[in-house]
Amino acid sequence: MKLFDNKVQETKYKVLREVAVQTWKGNDVFAEFNEVASKIIPKDEPPQRCCIYKDRAVVAERMRLAIGGSRKNSNVVQVIDIACDECPEAGYVVTDLCRGCLAHGCIEACKLKAITIDENHHAKIDKTKCVDCGRCATACKYSAIHNFQRPCEIACKVGAISMGPGGEASIDYEKCISCGSCVYHCPFGATVDVSSIVDVINCLKESTRKDSNNPTVAIVAPSIGSQFLYAKLGQVITGIHKLGFAEVLEVALGADMVSIKEGQELVEKGFLTSSCCPAFVKYIETKFPDMVDKISHNYSPMAELAKFLKEGHPEYTIVFIGPCIAKKSEVRKPEISKYVDYAITFEELQALFDSKDIILKEQEETEWNQATYYGRIFARSGGLAEAVTQALKELDVQDFEFNPISCSGIEECRKALMRASKGLLPNNFIEGMACVGGCVGGSGNMIRYEDAPEEFEDHTEEATAVKIKPNLRKTINIL
């Protein structure tokens, strides 16, 4: 069973693991740089880049982001400049397919005179004049002109990434929605999400002291059912407890809370967009500001559950564990940070397990069945709409026609929001998920949903609670 989708994720994990090892020991991470770097980039292996020194310099930058990054840059997704130097110049390029024809349709199509013919009769594009309009590519009868884009640019569906002055990737944070798609898709790992793993370890160390009255509680996203496939879910929950977490709760409980509140708000307002995906919410705020008032006023399932816990137990330190890089931005919002202290990904959780030599397959199973089926299916596209349908039934809403549209990925979200902004959308509820497939396709996952659909569906079906409201009443009394 593979642990990660690709080698970039594996390298990222190794850095997080070694940083975690040093933090558990109480060491200054950078004081132990040589030990850490030698484990990640051994000197007897071929270098990944031009030389071992550059490889280790990139590791140093990864370590900096693993311990929380610089105070001067508060953004969750950042670019490691020295790691981003391998991609060719993006944009329209004349390939070897150019036949040096007599028609020169590309020249005639270019209004900016950016195309000339060289001594070999091949077309050549002057990038200082080219605006990437694509007319030349359309005009070429041999399809010899191609629009090459960097993987990070292709992955970013909101146009937040471009080429910087030095050729490195540059993020426009006014457009960035922190979805982390660029983090997952960059083949060189030049885009990285800042980690709170050191802060979480320090909280765990503090909360497990005998005289501590500040327990650290983990709230775990339902998409965990598609991760850690080399062990049973109950063993994973035991592993989380062994890290020092006093309680391990299902964020799906918060999803149950949200589905009831979302159904009530929808009936009251008549039209709504979901508020569960922070990247989707940020996308509306940046691209469709006129529709901000249509966003549900409910918190996300993570924040909803954390709010309930903190109001009853203000001494708790609450850590969200899930597939979502955008959650790292959400927990920094003033209205959310008072409830959720830190957010880490499943990638980071694996690093924590291994930093403490916790072998999941050797653990006993912990019973973990708190939420309903409807709370758990929030993790996949269409799940929220299905849960709201059930909530409306349990609320016994009469004479209200629920007509949702579920959008998987930002491109589908854009189409639905565009139609809604023009009054052309027949639906009265937009369920938006920035990641294709929903949270099960999140950029902080170790593997994607397409590699574990059966395992996730099994997780949802194992929920013993049938109805949302009765289960919430029972669970709230216990908590």
Side-chain angles (χ1 to χ4, degrees):
M1 183 69 68
K2 67 177 181 178
L3 196 59
F4 297 103
D5 274 353
N6 56 59
K7 293 294 184 181
V8 169
Q9 284 181 298
E10 188 175 336
T11 300
K12 179 182 177 183
Y13 147 79
K14 288 179 180 178
V15 172
L16 289 166
R17 181 194 63 200
E18 296 306 320
V19 165
V21 167
Q22 299 301 328
T23 305
W24 287 116
K25 292 179 179 178
N27 296 336
D28 181 313
V29 173
F30 276 100
E32 306 298 329
F33 172 74
N34 287 335
E35 179 183 344
V36 172
S38 63
K39 288 184 177 180
I40 299 166
I41 308 291
K43 65 178 182 180
D44 56 348
E45 291 185 5
Q48 298 172 356
R49 293 175 173 81
C50 62
C51 62
I52 191 173
Y53 305 107
K54 185 166 186 178
D55 282 346
R56 291 188 174 180
V58 173
V59 167
E61 288 300 299
R62 285 184 173 279
M63 289 172 61
R64 179 178 61 81
L65 295 176
I67 64 174
S70 170
R71 294 180 180 179
K72 296 179 181 180
N73 189 343
S74 61
N75 298 291
V76 166
V77 178
Q78 299 182 21
V79 177
I80 299 177
D81 291 354
I82 58 172
C84 183
D85 64 353
E86 304 292 342
C87 293
E89 187 174 13
Y92 283 90
V93 176
V94 180
T95 70
D96 291 340
L97 293 175
C98 179
R99 304 287 293 173
C101 69
L102 299 178
H104 294 164
C106 54
I107 292 180
E108 299 300 325
C110 182
K111 305 301 181 184
L112 298 176
K113 302 186 183 303
I115 299 181
T116 55
I117 303 299
D118 64 18
E119 63 275 11
N120 296 317
H121 308 293
H122 285 191
K124 182 179 180 181
I125 299 176
D126 183 345
K127 301 302 290 186
T128 63
K129 297 179 181 179
C130 178
V131 294
D132 292 327
C133 68
R135 290 195 181 110
C136 57
T138 303
C140 179
K141 303 301 182 182
Y142 288 101
S143 300
I145 302 177
H146 184 72
N147 184 20
F148 287 97
Q149 288 183 287
R150 294 180 169 195
C152 56
E153 291 181 3
I154 295 172
C156 182
K157 303 305 181 183
V158 297
I161 297 184
S162 60
M163 186 185 295
E168 74 286 350
S170 177
I171 301 175
D172 183 344
Y173 289 108
E174 293 297 316
K175 297 178 180 179
C176 179
I177 59 176
S178 302
C179 66
S181 184
C182 60
V183 175
Y184 178 81
H185 285 97
C186 176
F188 286 92
T191 44
V192 182
D193 52 305
V194 176
S195 178
S196 298
I197 196 170
V198 169
D199 293 319
V200 170
I201 291 173
N202 288 330
C203 285
L204 290 169
K205 290 168 69 175
E206 176 65 26
S207 65
T208 51
R209 288 174 44 191
K210 291 183 179 179
D211 58 344
S212 175
N213 294 313
N214 301 101
T216 302
V217 174
I219 57 174
V220 184
S223 52
I224 193 172
S226 66
Q227 304 294 299
F228 305 99
L229 302 183
Y230 60 89
K232 296 178 180 179
L233 182 57
Q235 294 175 314
V236 179
I237 303 308
T238 301
I240 297 174
H241 277 294
K242 284 201 168 183
L243 287 170
F245 287 99
E247 297 285 349
V248 184
L249 302 175
E250 289 193 60
V251 168
L253 278 170
D256 284 335
M257 297 174 185
V258 167
S259 61
I260 296 293
K261 291 186 176 182
E262 208 111 292
Q264 292 171 328
E265 187 178 3
L266 175 62
V267 172
E268 178 186 337
K269 295 183 176 178
F271 179 88
L272 213 59
T273 74
S274 62
S275 58
C276 300
C277 173
F280 174 62
V281 171
K282 180 69 180 295
Y283 182 65
I284 295 176
E285 292 171 347
T286 56
K287 294 291 186 178
F288 296 89
D290 292 341
M291 292 197 64
V292 168
D293 63 326
K294 306 299 183 184
I295 303 172
S296 169
H297 283 76
N298 295 297
Y299 286 141
S300 67
M302 172 196 74
E304 196 68 49
L305 177 59
K307 178 176 181 290
F308 172 79
L309 293 172
K310 279 275 184 144
E311 287 177 346
H313 303 277
E315 74 279 9
Y316 281 180
T317 296
I318 296 181
V319 178
F320 169 81
I321 303 174
C324 183
I325 289 175
K327 286 293 183 189
K328 296 183 178 185
S329 290
E330 184 182 358
V331 300
R332 295 183 180 188
K333 291 183 175 181
E335 67 271 25
I336 305 299
S337 61
K338 57 186 176 182
Y339 301 126
V340 188
D341 296 280
Y342 302 104
I344 63 173
T345 63
F346 291 132
E347 288 178 325
E348 292 165 320
L349 179 59
Q350 180 65 58
L352 284 174
F353 286 146
D354 292 341
S355 71
K356 293 286 284 183
D357 294 322
I358 297 173
I359 302 173
L360 296 182
K361 290 187 293 185
E362 296 180 357
Q363 308 304 313
E364 294 182 359
E365 289 190 65
T366 297
E367 178 67 25
W368 202 60
N369 210 324
Q370 302 154 355
T372 67
Y373 161 84
Y374 297 102
R376 289 181 174 182
I377 61 173
F378 264 57
R380 60 165 169 77
S381 181
L384 170 55
E386 190 175 336
V388 173
T389 300
Q390 174 65 20
L392 291 172
K393 289 179 182 178
E394 294 186 28
L395 291 168
D396 195 24
V397 174
Q398 304 292 328
D399 301 323
F400 182 83
E401 184 179 351
F402 182 44
N403 183 18
I405 180 172
S406 297
C407 303
S408 174
I410 283 297
E411 290 181 315
E412 287 189 10
C413 292
R414 179 184 60 80
K415 293 175 183 177
L417 290 167
M418 184 69 73
R419 295 182 67 193
S421 66
K422 296 178 180 179
L424 300 175
L425 189 73
N427 312 90
N428 57 7
F429 183 78
I430 301 176
E431 174 196 326
M433 295 284 197
C435 295
V436 175
C439 303
V440 289
S443 298
N445 280 329
M446 295 189 295
I447 60 172
R448 295 302 180 97
Y449 172 68
E450 54 265 26
D451 292 322
E454 293 179 3
E455 287 83 355
F456 176 73
E457 296 304 329
D458 287 345
H459 173 57
T460 62
E461 296 291 345
E462 287 169 0
T464 56
V466 178
K467 292 188 177 181
I468 300 172
K469 290 178 69 177
N471 187 63
L472 280 176
R473 284 194 293 269
K474 180 189 74 174
T475 306
I476 285 172
N477 288 333
I478 294 173
L479 296 178

Coordinates of all heavy atoms in Angstrom, one line a residue, residues 199-229:
D199 N 4.1 24.0 16.9 CA 3.2 24.6 17.9 C 2.3 23.5 18.5 O 2.1 23.4 19.7 CB 2.3 25.7 17.3 CG 3.1 26.9 16.9 OD1 4.0 27.3 17.7 OD2 2.8 27.5 15.9
V200 N 1.9 22.6 17.6 CA 1.0 21.5 18.1 C 1.8 20.5 19.0 O 1.3 20.1 20.1 CB 0.4 20.7 16.9 CG1 -0.3 19.4 17.4 CG2 -0.5 21.6 16.1
I201 N 3.0 20.2 18.7 CA 3.8 19.3 19.5 C 4.1 20.0 20.9 O 3.9 19.3 21.9 CB 5.2 19.0 18.8 CG1 5.0 18.1 17.6 CG2 6.1 18.4 19.8 CD1 6.2 17.9 16.8
N202 N 4.4 21.3 20.9 CA 4.6 22.0 22.1 C 3.3 22.0 23.0 O 3.4 21.9 24.2 CB 5.1 23.4 21.9 CG 6.5 23.4 21.4 OD1 7.3 22.5 21.7 ND2 6.9 24.4 20.6
C203 N 2.2 22.1 22.4 CA 0.9 22.1 23.1 C 0.7 20.7 23.7 O 0.3 20.5 24.9 CB -0.3 22.4 22.2 SG -0.4 24.2 21.8
L204 N 1.0 19.6 22.9 CA 0.9 18.3 23.4 C 1.8 18.0 24.6 O 1.4 17.3 25.5 CB 1.1 17.3 22.3 CG 0.0 17.2 21.2 CD1 0.5 16.4 20.0 CD2 -1.3 16.6 21.7
K205 N 3.0 18.5 24.5 CA 4.0 18.3 25.5 C 3.5 19.0 26.8 O 3.6 18.4 27.9 CB 5.4 18.8 25.1 CG 6.0 18.0 24.0 CD 7.3 18.7 23.4 CE 8.4 18.8 24.4 NZ 9.6 19.4 23.8
E206 N 3.0 20.2 26.7 CA 2.5 20.9 27.8 C 1.2 20.3 28.4 O 1.1 20.1 29.7 CB 2.2 22.3 27.4 CG 1.6 23.2 28.5 CD 2.5 23.5 29.6 OE1 3.8 23.4 29.4 OE2 2.0 23.7 30.7
S207 N 0.3 19.9 27.6 CA -1.0 19.3 28.1 C -0.8 18.0 28.7 O -1.7 17.6 29.5 CB -2.0 19.3 26.9 OG -1.6 18.4 26.0
T208 N 0.2 17.2 28.4 CA 0.4 15.9 29.0 C 1.2 15.9 30.3 O 1.5 14.9 30.9 CB 1.1 14.9 28.0 OG1 2.3 15.5 27.4 CG2 0.1 14.6 26.8
R209 N 1.6 17.1 30.7 CA 2.3 17.2 32.0 C 1.3 16.9 33.1 O 0.1 17.2 33.0 CB 2.9 18.6 32.2 CG 4.1 18.9 31.4 CD 4.5 20.4 31.5 NE 4.4 20.8 32.9 CZ 4.5 22.1 33.3 NH1 4.6 23.0 32.4 NH2 4.5 22.4 34.6
K210 N 1.8 16.3 34.2 CA 0.9 15.9 35.3 C 0.1 17.1 35.9 O -1.0 16.9 36.3 CB 1.7 15.2 36.3 CG 2.2 13.8 35.9 CD 2.9 13.1 37.0 CE 3.4 11.7 36.6 NZ 4.2 11.0 37.7
D211 N 0.7 18.2 35.9 CA 0.1 19.4 36.6 C -0.7 20.2 35.6 O -1.2 21.3 35.9 CB 1.1 20.2 37.3 CG 2.2 20.7 36.3 OD1 2.3 20.2 35.2 OD2 2.9 21.7 36.7
S212 N -0.9 19.8 34.4 CA -1.6 20.6 33.3 C -3.1 20.4 33.4 O -3.6 19.4 33.7 CB -1.1 20.1 31.9 OG -1.8 20.8 30.9
N213 N -3.7 21.6 33.2 CA -5.2 21.6 33.2 C -5.7 22.1 31.8 O -6.8 22.6 31.7 CB -5.7 22.5 34.3 CG -5.4 22.0 35.7 OD1 -5.7 20.8 36.0 ND2 -4.9 22.8 36.6
N214 N -4.9 21.9 30.8 CA -5.2 22.4 29.5 C -5.1 21.3 28.5 O -4.1 21.2 27.7 CB -4.3 23.6 29.1 CG -4.4 24.7 30.0 OD1 -3.6 24.9 30.9 ND2 -5.5 25.5 29.9
P215 N -6.0 20.4 28.4 CA -6.0 19.2 27.5 C -6.0 19.7 26.0 O -6.7 20.7 25.7 CB -7.2 18.4 27.9 CG -8.1 19.3 28.5 CD -7.3 20.3 29.2
T216 N -5.3 19.0 25.2 CA -5.3 19.2 23.8 C -6.3 18.2 23.1 O -6.2 17.0 23.3 CB -4.0 19.1 23.1 OG1 -3.1 20.0 23.8 CG2 -4.0 19.5 21.7
V217 N -7.2 18.7 22.3 CA -8.3 17.9 21.7 C -8.2 17.9 20.2 O -8.0 19.0 19.6 CB -9.7 18.4 22.2 CG1 -10.8 17.7 21.4 CG2 -9.9 18.3 23.7
A218 N -8.2 16.8 19.6 CA -8.2 16.7 18.2 C -9.6 16.5 17.6 O -10.4 15.8 18.1 CB -7.4 15.4 17.7
I219 N -9.9 17.3 16.6 CA -11.2 17.2 15.9 C -10.8 16.8 14.4 O -10.1 17.5 13.8 CB -12.1 18.4 15.9 CG1 -11.4 19.7 15.4 CG2 -12.5 18.7 17.4 CD1 -12.3 20.9 15.4
V220 N -11.3 15.7 14.0 CA -10.7 15.0 12.8 C -11.8 15.0 11.7 O -12.9 14.6 11.9 CB -10.3 13.6 13.1 CG1 -9.6 13.0 11.8 CG2 -9.3 13.6 14.2
A221 N -11.4 15.5 10.5 CA -12.3 15.5 9.3 C -12.7 14.2 8.9 O -12.0 13.2 9.0 CB -11.6 16.3 8.2
P222 N -14.0 14.0 8.4 CA -14.5 12.7 7.9 C -13.7 12.1 6.8 O -13.8 10.9 6.6 CB -15.9 13.0 7.5 CG -16.0 14.5 7.3 CD -15.0 15.1 8.2
S223 N -13.0 12.9 6.0 CA -12.2 12.3 4.9 C -11.1 11.4 5.4 O -10.4 10.8 4.6 CB -11.7 13.4 4.0 OG -11.0 14.4 4.7
I224 N -10.9 11.3 6.7 CA -9.9 10.4 7.2 C -10.2 9.0 6.8 O -9.3 8.1 6.8 CB -9.8 10.5 8.8 CG1 -8.5 9.8 9.3 CG2 -11.0 9.9 9.5 CD1 -8.2 10.0 10.7
G225 N -11.4 8.7 6.5 CA -11.8 7.4 6.0 C -11.2 7.0 4.7 O -11.2 5.8 4.4
S226 N -10.6 7.9 4.0 CA -9.9 7.6 2.8 C -8.4 7.6 2.9 O -7.6 7.5 1.9 CB -10.3 8.6 1.7 OG -9.8 9.9 2.0
Q227 N -7.9 7.8 4.1 CA -6.5 7.9 4.4 C -6.0 6.8 5.3 O -6.8 6.0 5.8 CB -6.2 9.2 5.1 CG -6.6 10.4 4.3 CD -5.9 10.6 3.0 OE1 -4.7 10.8 2.9 NE2 -6.7 10.5 1.9
F228 N -4.7 6.6 5.5 CA -4.0 5.7 6.4 C -4.6 4.2 6.1 O -5.0 3.5 7.0 CB -4.3 6.0 7.8 CG -3.8 7.4 8.2 CD1 -4.7 8.5 8.2 CD2 -2.5 7.7 8.4 CE1 -4.3 9.8 8.5 CE2 -2.0 9.0 8.7 CZ -3.0 10.0 8.8
L229 N -4.6 3.9 4.8 CA -5.2 2.6 4.4 C -4.4 1.4 4.8 O -4.9 0.3 4.7 CB -5.4 2.6 2.9 CG -6.3 3.8 2.4 CD1 -6.4 3.6 0.9 CD2 -7.6 3.9 3.0

